Amino acid sequence: MTEVTRLPGPVMELWEWQYQGSCRDIDDTLFFHPEGERGAARRRRADAAKAICAECPVLVQCREQALAIREPYGVWGGLSEEDRAAIFADPRRAEAATRRVHVG
């Protein structure tokens, strides 16, 4: 008989929040910049993605996941690539960003 007590438990609970995301039915090109996109066009696209994130019921989980895995691409949890890079550059900001989501 196979020994299963040492196998990892179900992980669905860890990722199930993603089914609640406001971005789930939106074209993902809004959240990830096309190659060569710069300046005002990039800011407008990121701002539109962040507006969707701002109303998302799983903003906290998404942001925490993006920060925890150091997600390098796209808008996640209302943070752009540049926002996360600035946070990663200063660990105190990472703590403050997570705390701000929980409080606000």
Side-chain angles (χ1 to χ4, degrees), residues 15-24 52-65 76-78 101:
W15 305 105
E16 199 166 28
W17 60 266
Q18 293 180 353
Y19 289 112
Q20 310 290 316
S22 296
C23 62
R24 188 156 168 78
I52 292 166
C53 294
E55 302 296 323
C56 185
V58 293
L59 172 76
V60 172
Q61 295 94 326
C62 186
R63 180 174 291 184
E64 287 176 344
Q65 176 67 15
W76 294 86
V101 170

Side-chain angles (χ1 to χ4, degrees), residues 29 32-39 41-42 45 73 81:
T29 59
F32 297 93
H33 69 84
E35 188 173 335
E37 182 185 56
R38 301 275 188 270
R42 187 166 176 159
R45 183 199 42 75
Y73 303 109
E81 297 170 13

Side-chain angles (χ1 to χ4, degrees), residues 2-101:
T2 304
E3 176 62 43
V4 295
T5 59
R6 293 183 295 174
L7 293 174
V11 294
M12 182 63 174
E13 297 82 30
L14 297 176
W15 305 105
E16 199 166 28
W17 60 266
Q18 293 180 353
Y19 289 112
Q20 310 290 316
S22 296
C23 62
R24 188 156 168 78
D25 296 322
I26 296 175
D27 185 356
D28 61 357
T29 59
L30 181 63
F31 297 89
F32 297 93
H33 69 84
E35 188 173 335
E37 182 185 56
R38 301 275 188 270
R42 187 166 176 159
R43 280 189 300 281
R44 282 191 302 275
R45 183 199 42 75
D47 288 346
K50 289 178 181 184
I52 292 166
C53 294
E55 302 296 323
C56 185
V58 293
L59 172 76
V60 172
Q61 295 94 326
C62 186
R63 180 174 291 184
E64 287 176 344
Q65 176 67 15
L67 292 172
I69 66 168
R70 300 179 70 87
E71 176 60 56
Y73 303 109
V75 174
W76 294 86
L79 298 174
S80 68
E81 297 170 13
E82 294 79 14
D83 297 332
R84 288 190 308 279
I87 289 169
F88 298 150
D90 182 355
R92 292 173 295 171
R93 287 189 64 193
E95 181 181 334
T98 302
R99 187 174 50 247
R100 187 171 49 246
V101 170

